[in-house]
Amino acid sequence: MARSSNRRLFTEYRQLFENCPDGIVAGPKTEDNFLEWEALIAGPEGTPFEFGVFVTELKFPADYPMSPPKMRFLSDMFHPNVYPDGRVCISILHAPGEDPTGYESSHERWSPILSVEKILISVMSMLAEPNVESGANIDACKMWRENRDEFNKIAHNLVKKSLCIM
C-alpha cells in the first residue's frame, strides 16, 4: 500500500514543483520519505496574516489517498481553526464518510480526489475566513468574534515572528 502512496505523492510533488500556486511551497522533508512533507504558506493578502510565511508539516498515512494526512503548523499560529499545538482543523482533513456529530456532510470531508495542493489552498482560505462555528482554539474564536482588533494585533505579531523581525 505504501508504494502506491509514494507513487501518488511523487506525482503530486512533481505537479507542485512544475506549477506551484502563488503563496505555497511544499515537498517531502527528505527524498527517502515521501510520507512526511513540509510546506510554506504565505499569509493571504488583505488578512491579518498578510506578509507572513508560515511553516507547516503534513504526515501522510500509508493508505494515502484513501485517508487524509495530518497537518499542523510548526510556526506559532493563533487562529480559530488551529489547535494551540498547531494541528489544523479543517473539514477536508477529516476522515471520509459521515460525521458522527452530524456537523459536516460527507462531501465536505476527505476524498481521495483531493490533493496536497487543494489542502494547502484550503488552509490559505481558512486563514482568511475562519470557521468560528467549529473552532479548534476557543480563545481565538472568541477573540475573532468579540475583539477583532486584538486578534489582528496577535496575528500581526505572528507575521513578524514568522519573518524573524521580532
Side-chain angles (χ1 to χ4, degrees):
M1 180 95 49
R3 289 176 82 163
S4 62
S5 297
N6 282 338
R7 194 167 36 253
R8 164 79 181 255
L9 287 165
F10 181 78
T11 300
E12 290 189 41
Y13 174 58
R14 190 175 56 221
Q15 290 168 345
L16 277 171
F17 184 78
E18 291 171 358
N19 191 22
C20 202
D22 289 344
I24 294 171
V25 177
K29 288 182 178 182
T30 68
E31 292 179 13
D32 299 345
N33 184 1
F34 265 75
L35 297 178
E36 291 189 20
W37 286 36
E38 275 189 345
L40 300 176
I41 298 176
E45 188 176 326
T47 74
F49 300 101
E50 184 175 17
F51 304 117
V53 178
F54 302 98
V55 181
T56 67
E57 73 175 3
L58 293 111
K59 292 188 176 185
F60 297 89
D63 68 342
Y64 180 82
M66 301 314 291
S67 297
K70 304 277 188 233
M71 183 176 182
R72 73 181 186 102
F73 280 88
L74 300 178
S75 300
D76 288 344
M77 180 55 66
F78 184 75
H79 187 277
N81 305 118
V82 179
Y83 288 99
D85 68 0
R87 287 178 295 131
V88 175
C89 181
I90 189 170
S91 297
I92 64 168
L93 292 178
H94 295 161
E98 294 301 316
D99 179 5
T101 66
Y103 179 77
E104 300 167 333
S105 65
S106 60
H107 74 275
E108 295 174 303
R109 296 167 70 89
W110 179 255
S111 167
I113 63 168
L114 294 171
S115 65
V116 175
E117 178 180 352
K118 288 182 174 103
I119 293 167
L120 296 173
I121 289 171
S122 295
V123 170
M124 282 184 76
S125 295
M126 175 200 80
L127 290 175
E129 298 176 32
N131 178 358
V132 294
E133 300 305 316
S134 177
N137 184 326
I138 303 306
D139 293 335
C141 285
K142 185 175 181 188
M143 193 176 293
W144 175 267
R145 280 191 229 126
E146 298 174 8
N147 193 347
R148 190 70 60 86
D149 288 340
E150 185 64 23
F151 180 91
N152 290 346
K153 189 183 302 181
I154 291 170
H156 290 300
N157 285 334
L158 292 173
V159 166
K160 289 178 186 176
K161 191 172 182 180
S162 80
L163 299 172
C164 300
I165 56 173
M166 211 171 155

